[in-house]
């Protein structure tokens, strides 16, 4: 069964350092999402891509976070510089959704970030 | 705007007992509703979804949920809890266009042997 791949699974970094997370969605899925999940809370959308274009990044802290999906397939989420409050699980999800309509989001295993 | 509220951040049941996890939604239009399960240090796995077809939705692992418009609810149930059901459960609502998912704060289910 096809899965969303994410790496690394765990990342420990010091504040002010740069970190990057990678996501490879299920093949053929046009839409890709990055979520942040703080311990004890539900996932919160950071950015949504439709192919290589950003559809929604209203909740992305753009002063330190950036995301790209250059070829419309895999994606990278970067934080620079990392802050203590960035410690969380970063989840990637993908769906077949093209334009409008609804499709199920399939989640990867996540990257657990700890900022010291 | 859509949102979901999950009542009870922690629920404990005995093995073999009924599981009931509550979710109420707020939506200005008929919503699409989902239940996801998350095991420790893992991503979310879809349990079931409601997309305006049958109001009683059956999912994986013996779970089901009923959409009740009059109560704006989408509670998750399972007749008999198993130890392997211990996990975090999230209710989510999506707009009709599917552009936005809004997750609840989650309910942690503990199963007591």
């Amino acid at each position: 069964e096809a899965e969303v791949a994410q790496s690394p699974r765990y990342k420990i970094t010091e504040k002010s350092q740069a970190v990057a997370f990678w996501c490879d969605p299920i093949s053929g899925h046009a839409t890709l999402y990055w979520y942040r999940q703080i311990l004890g809370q539900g996932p919160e959308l950071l950015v949504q891509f439709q192919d290589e274009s950003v559809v929604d990044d209203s909740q992305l802290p753009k002063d330190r976070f950036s995301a790209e999906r250059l070829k419309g397939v895999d994606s990278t989420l970067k934080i620079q510089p990392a802050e203590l409050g960035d410690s969380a699980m970063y989840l990637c999800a993908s769906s077949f959704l093209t334009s409008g309509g609804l499709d199920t989001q399939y989640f990867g295993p996540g990257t657990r970030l700890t900022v010291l | 705007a859509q949102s979901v509220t999950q009542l009870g951040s922690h629920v404990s049941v005995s093995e073999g007992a009924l599981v009931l996890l509550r979710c109420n939604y707020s939506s200005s239009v008929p919503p699409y509703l989902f239940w996801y399960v998350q095991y420790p240090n893992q991503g979310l796995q879809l349990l079931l979804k409601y997309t305006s077809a049958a109001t009683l939705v059956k999912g994986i692992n013996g779970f089901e949920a009923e959409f009740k418009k009059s109560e704006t609810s989408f509670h998750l149930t399972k007749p008999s809890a198993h130890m392997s059901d211990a996990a975090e459960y999230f209710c989510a609502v999506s707009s009709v266009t599917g552009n936005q998912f809004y997750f609840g704060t989650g309910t942690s289910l503990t199963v007591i042997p």
Side-chain angles (χ1 to χ4, degrees):
Chain A
E1 182 176 303
E3 296 180 343
V4 176
Q6 287 188 251
S7 66
R9 291 293 309 277
Y10 303 91
K11 179 69 178 179
I12 300 174
T13 190
E14 295 184 345
K15 62 179 181 180
S16 80
Q17 296 298 305
V19 292
F21 313 131
W22 177 78
C23 172
D24 190 13
I26 294 173
S27 178
H29 280 196
T31 307
L32 184 147
Y33 310 80
W34 282 103
Y35 289 88
R36 177 172 58 187
Q37 184 182 20
I38 296 171
L39 190 64
Q41 298 183 21
E44 180 184 31
L45 181 69
L46 291 174
V47 61
Q48 177 183 346
F49 288 92
Q50 182 68 43
D51 299 311
E52 67 277 8
S53 301
V54 173
V55 173
D56 184 351
D57 63 356
S58 58
Q59 300 302 311
L60 189 71
K62 299 181 186 63
D63 57 335
R64 297 184 301 106
F65 286 64
S66 65
E68 61 183 17
R69 192 184 185 198
L70 294 177
K71 296 182 179 180
V73 181
D74 59 338
S75 175
T76 302
L77 178 69
K78 297 179 181 178
I79 308 175
Q80 183 175 13
E83 296 180 353
L84 296 176
D86 296 332
S87 294
M89 175 79 89
Y90 289 84
L91 295 165
C92 179
S94 70
S95 73
F96 189 70
L97 182 69
T98 52
S99 58
L102 171 77
D103 199 9
T104 302
Q105 293 188 22
Y106 296 89
F107 285 79
T111 296
R112 170 72 68 189
L113 173 66
T114 302
V115 182
L116 302 176
Chain B
Q2 288 84 14
S3 67
V4 290
T5 301
Q6 291 185 241
L7 299 176
S9 57
H10 298 276
V11 171
S12 293
V13 300
S14 298
E15 189 175 15
L18 172 71
V19 175
L20 171 60
L21 305 182
R22 300 178 186 274
C23 173
N24 287 86
Y25 69 90
S26 172
S27 176
S28 56
V29 297
Y32 294 141
L33 294 158
F34 302 78
W35 276 99
Y36 282 86
V37 61
Q38 186 178 34
Y39 297 99
N41 290 313
Q42 295 188 25
L44 279 69
Q45 179 183 7
L46 179 70
L47 279 176
L48 50 80
K49 62 182 178 182
Y50 167 76
T51 57
S52 73
T55 56
L56 181 63
V57 182
K58 295 186 182 300
I60 62 171
N61 301 339
F63 284 94
E64 62 181 36
E66 186 172 9
F67 174 73
K68 292 186 176 181
K69 184 177 179 180
S70 61
E71 300 177 5
T72 61
S73 69
F74 190 58
H75 302 330
L76 182 71
T77 61
K78 181 174 180 177
S80 177
H82 191 272
M83 296 299 293
S84 61
D85 294 328
E88 189 86 13
Y89 291 81
F90 292 94
C91 181
V93 63
S94 171
S95 60
V96 174
T97 60
N99 287 336
Q100 288 277 352
F101 263 51
Y102 300 92
F103 286 87
T105 53
T107 298
S108 177
L109 176 65
T110 299
V111 181
I112 303 167

